[in-house]
Amino acid sequence: MFSFLDRTVLQFDRALQTLVPHAARAMRVSPADNEEEAPLNAAERKHSIGLMRINHTGEVCAQALYAGQASTAKLDAVREEMEHAAEEEVDHLVWCEKRLYSLGSRPSILNPLFYGASFSIGAGAGLISDRLSLGFVAATEDQVCLHLDKHMEALPAQDAKSKAILTQMRIDEAKHKQAALASGGYVFPKPIMAIMTQVSKVMTTSTYRI
């Protein structure tokens, strides 16, 4: 059983692995490795970079959200589920980061701000109740799935590497959503989901270029 100090050190380590380039390690091989690199013109490359930067930032937020929720979860089973989901999300984080660098770019400089905000939201939800915390995971993953669907359509047709990554991420995120609901997560009403959609639009707009 970890003490409060132990958990604090582990959360700090997770933050560093999430925010420091090349620090995190994936458990699975990137789906992009199975695809050939196709030529992209300047506009296509810029667009792929923007979309993959958005998705990388989304994974930064996911790490922070799960970390915050795990730090305040009341039930050990919920805390363990959050930590397990975060471990799976590390793969997505690394895949997106690796793809960004292979396209000649880098992650968003705004990631530390988004990490801090997401951690606070996750910790706050966990303090209120585990059911709300799980519901927030389900609602967030629902938003992520919608974004991934749009991004897969918007990618340049020949960018098979980026599409392979997003395709596997879409599968994993849908599983996380269902797992959170199956564990008793609260189903958010449509007005709340609409607000979350608007917030996610702000994030995507700000991270596409920076």
Side-chain angles (χ1 to χ4, degrees):
M1 200 68 179
F2 291 117
S3 67
F4 175 77
L5 180 59
D6 291 333
R7 294 187 188 282
T8 300
V9 172
L10 288 172
Q11 296 298 355
F12 182 69
D13 179 66
R14 172 167 289 170
L16 288 178
Q17 290 191 47
T18 301
L19 296 172
V20 176
H22 312 298
R25 294 291 180 268
M27 297 295 292
R28 293 174 289 175
V29 174
S30 172
D33 292 352
N34 298 320
E35 303 293 338
E36 293 292 331
E37 186 72 76
L40 300 171
N41 62 37
E44 290 169 338
R45 182 175 296 275
K46 181 179 179 181
H47 190 47
S48 286
I49 287 171
L51 295 178
M52 294 309 291
R53 184 179 292 122
I54 290 169
N55 286 295
H56 179 267
T57 296
E59 295 307 318
V60 168
C61 292
Q63 286 295 313
L65 181 67
Y66 284 126
Q69 290 169 317
S71 69
T72 56
K74 296 171 178 60
L75 298 177
D76 289 338
V78 173
R79 181 180 298 108
E80 290 171 3
E81 181 171 331
M82 296 297 179
E83 291 172 347
H84 176 68
E87 289 173 359
E88 291 188 342
E89 297 280 359
V90 170
D91 287 351
H92 303 171
L93 181 82
V94 175
W95 297 346
C96 290
E97 179 187 90
K98 182 180 177 182
R99 183 58 183 152
L100 276 171
Y101 283 113
S102 71
L103 287 167
S105 189
R106 43 105 184 120
S108 172
I109 61 175
L110 300 176
N111 283 343
L113 296 177
F114 283 116
Y115 189 96
S118 297
F119 184 92
S120 299
I121 292 171
L127 283 172
I128 295 172
S129 75
D130 286 338
R131 187 181 177 214
L132 178 66
S133 187
L134 288 166
F136 197 81
V137 168
T140 300
E141 298 291 20
D142 184 70
Q143 293 293 309
V144 171
C145 287
L146 292 175
H147 274 293
L148 290 172
D149 289 338
K150 292 178 181 178
H151 288 186
M152 284 188 283
E153 291 181 4
L155 279 170
Q158 68 272 37
D159 189 359
K161 282 184 170 290
S162 296
K163 187 171 183 179
I165 292 172
L166 300 191
T167 298
Q168 186 58 53
M169 286 172 58
R170 176 66 169 79
I171 294 171
D172 294 343
E173 306 294 8
K175 288 180 180 178
H176 293 162
K177 171 188 173 182
Q178 292 304 319
L181 292 175
S183 296
Y186 176 73
V187 178
F188 283 20
K190 290 184 178 180
I192 299 299
M193 296 297 291
I195 292 173
M196 292 181 69
T197 298
Q198 294 304 313
V199 172
S200 67
K201 286 182 179 179
V202 172
M203 185 197 78
T204 57
T205 300
S206 60
T207 57
Y208 183 85
R209 292 182 175 83
I210 57 174

